Amino acid sequence: MEKTKTTKLRQTNIELLRIFSMLMVLVIHYNVGTNGQTTHEMVMSEPLKFVGIASLKSLSFICVNCFIIISGYFGIRWKWKSLCNYLFQIAFWGGMIHIIAVSLGMTNFSIQRIANNMLLFLVRGNWFFVSYLALYMLAPIMNAYIEKVETRQLGWMVLAFYSFQTLFGWIFKNCIEFSQGLTFVSFMGLYLLGAYLKRSDLKCFGWKSSRDLAMYAGVGAICVIISIISNYIGFEKDIYSYISPLQILQTIYLFLFFKKIHVRSKYDKLILFFSTSAFAALLMHSWDGVGIYRFGLLWIDNNLSFPFVFTMLYIVVFFVVACCLDKIRILVWNRVYK
């Protein structure tokens, strides 16, 4: 009874989006780290490569946005246990990834390195760690507003936020609080958007799932076309950005697609096994893990035919290994907490 209740509460179709989002994080880091940025010269000399890189960006750049919208949809319920678990997860992986790197012969063992990873991760770690922590701390305030306000007013609030963010954060860039979406301020907007999508009955959000998927892919194709034109004429604009209105639109319809699909109950346990540890994939390619992840990507690129195919397989395997190793962290955390 308890397991069934938990499965239904988590909604495995949304949990599937959590898995997909983290896989896309790995894809975007591969795409940017290995293929580099698109340029005017690439449009002129290697147009097919340009389209490939831009298309991969179009499909994967909304990964972080989806993660935060999920938090807004379900709502973050402030608990000391959850807060400590979040901090423990990052600290544990900061130490474990160094040990893994040492075991693979990629670095020398250093107590200071482990201590820095585990204790200073909020200062020298991934930007996401601090931004999500700030969102977690502010969630009770936003929850109080969300629970009190009417759906229509919440919608106007979301529209006002994204109008301001688009104008001053994305177009004019004179509001550093947005910083391309790498801040908790943008996370707050996504959190409110997730809450609104849970309650809204707008017709444009009530389409069939196939149409939602078509919107996600269609907006992505528009981004590719705009990117080609802007690079060709030498107009530098961050078409791919966490706060780009096109990426926000893509995020909405990809989320709605997963919200409406039906997942057979026989896959519930498998999906929950990976979704509850999906964050570990980001942690596993942070700190010393950056070198581990890049080494695999570069080896494939330099030694195998059809490197893109093997790279996608490598990303899936990397994700699976991260989730399996995270079960060690969960076991340790349960014992520590008790």
Side-chain angles (χ1 to χ4, degrees):
M1 287 287 290
E2 192 66 31
K3 288 183 178 180
T4 302
K5 183 178 179 182
T6 301
T7 299
K8 289 183 178 179
L9 181 64
R10 294 189 68 94
Q11 297 185 24
T12 48
N13 53 337
I14 304 296
E15 294 303 309
L16 192 59
L17 173 60
R18 198 188 302 275
I19 294 172
F20 181 80
S21 299
M22 187 49 66
L23 287 170
M24 291 302 99
V25 169
L26 293 171
V27 168
I28 196 64
H29 288 170
Y30 144 72
N31 195 28
V32 174
T34 303
N35 297 325
Q37 299 292 345
T38 53
T39 62
H40 170 76
E41 290 72 20
M42 189 182 294
V43 174
M44 305 303 294
S45 60
E46 300 177 286
L48 290 180
K49 181 179 180 180
F50 183 100
V51 172
I53 294 174
S55 298
L56 208 54
K57 280 187 177 181
S58 289
L59 295 174
S60 60
F61 217 90
I62 61 172
C63 48
V64 173
N65 290 357
C66 287
F67 241 79
I68 306 304
I69 274 197
I70 292 173
S71 296
Y73 180 80
F74 287 117
I76 296 174
R77 302 304 167 189
W78 212 101
K79 295 180 181 179
W80 278 108
K81 178 183 178 181
S82 299
L83 175 62
C84 293
N85 185 25
Y86 174 69
L87 298 176
F88 176 82
Q89 184 176 11
I90 300 173
F92 185 90
W93 267 100
M96 185 164 70
I97 197 61
H98 179 71
I99 294 174
I100 293 173
V102 171
S103 301
L104 294 174
M106 302 189 70
T107 187
N108 296 321
F109 180 78
S110 169
I111 292 293
Q112 182 179 359
R113 186 70 172 269
I114 291 180
N116 285 340
N117 288 358
M118 297 181 68
L119 301 178
L120 296 178
F121 59 88
L122 294 178
V123 179
R124 302 175 185 173
N126 190 294
W127 66 270
F128 182 92
F129 302 162
V130 179
S131 296
Y132 193 81
L133 178 62
L135 178 67
Y136 192 92
M137 302 300 289
L138 293 170
I141 300 174
M142 290 188 289
N143 289 341
Y145 170 74
I146 291 168
E147 292 167 6
K148 182 179 180 180
V149 73
E150 295 180 358
T151 302
R152 183 182 178 85
Q153 291 176 306
L154 179 59
W156 281 114
M157 180 68 232
V158 170
L159 180 61
F161 177 91
Y162 280 105
S163 297
F164 186 89
Q165 177 179 262
T166 300
L167 185 62
F168 297 106
W170 186 65
I171 296 177
F172 296 119
K173 297 183 181 180
N174 56 357
C175 192
I176 61 173
E177 285 76 13
F178 293 109
S179 186
Q180 297 303 303
L182 308 180
T183 68
F184 74 92
V185 177
S186 293
F187 280 10
M188 291 172 64
L190 290 167
Y191 189 89
L192 293 174
L193 178 58
Y196 179 67
L197 290 176
K198 186 175 184 178
R199 293 163 51 174
S200 175
D201 58 355
L202 290 178
K203 290 184 179 181
C204 60
F205 295 157
W207 296 336
K208 293 182 179 180
S209 60
S210 58
R211 193 170 180 180
D212 293 329
L213 185 62
M215 278 291 295
Y216 160 69
V219 174
I222 291 173
C223 290
V224 173
I225 294 171
I226 295 175
S227 181
I228 292 172
I229 295 173
S230 62
N231 277 271
Y232 178 78
I233 64 178
F235 175 70
E236 295 185 4
K237 184 58 187 170
D238 47 340
I239 303 300
Y240 299 102
S241 168
Y242 294 135
I243 60 175
S244 164
L246 292 173
Q247 261 74 68
I248 299 300
L249 192 61
Q250 271 192 298
T251 303
I252 291 172
Y253 281 101
L254 183 63
F255 175 83
L256 291 173
F257 168 74
F258 276 93
K259 179 184 176 182
K260 296 170 186 175
I261 62 174
H262 173 72
V263 179
R264 294 183 181 180
S265 57
K266 66 178 181 179
Y267 299 119
D268 287 351
K269 290 184 179 179
L270 180 64
I271 291 173
L272 291 175
F273 176 87
F274 289 108
S275 69
T276 52
S277 292
F279 186 50
L282 173 62
L283 298 172
M284 188 167 163
H285 75 294
S286 300
W287 302 291
D288 301 271
V290 173
I292 297 174
Y293 186 58
R294 286 180 178 174
F295 177 82
L297 294 174
L298 291 174
W299 187 90
I300 291 172
D301 196 51
N302 294 328
N303 294 277
L304 298 179
S305 302
F306 308 106
F308 179 77
V309 176
F310 286 101
T311 294
M312 294 300 106
L313 179 62
Y314 169 73
I315 287 173
V316 172
V317 171
F318 191 93
F319 175 82
V320 170
V321 170
C323 291
C324 291
L325 288 176
D326 191 59
K327 302 309 175 184
I328 300 173
R329 188 270 310 173
I330 294 175
L331 179 64
V332 174
W333 164 251
N334 288 335
R335 293 195 176 187
V336 168
Y337 182 74
K338 289 180 181 180

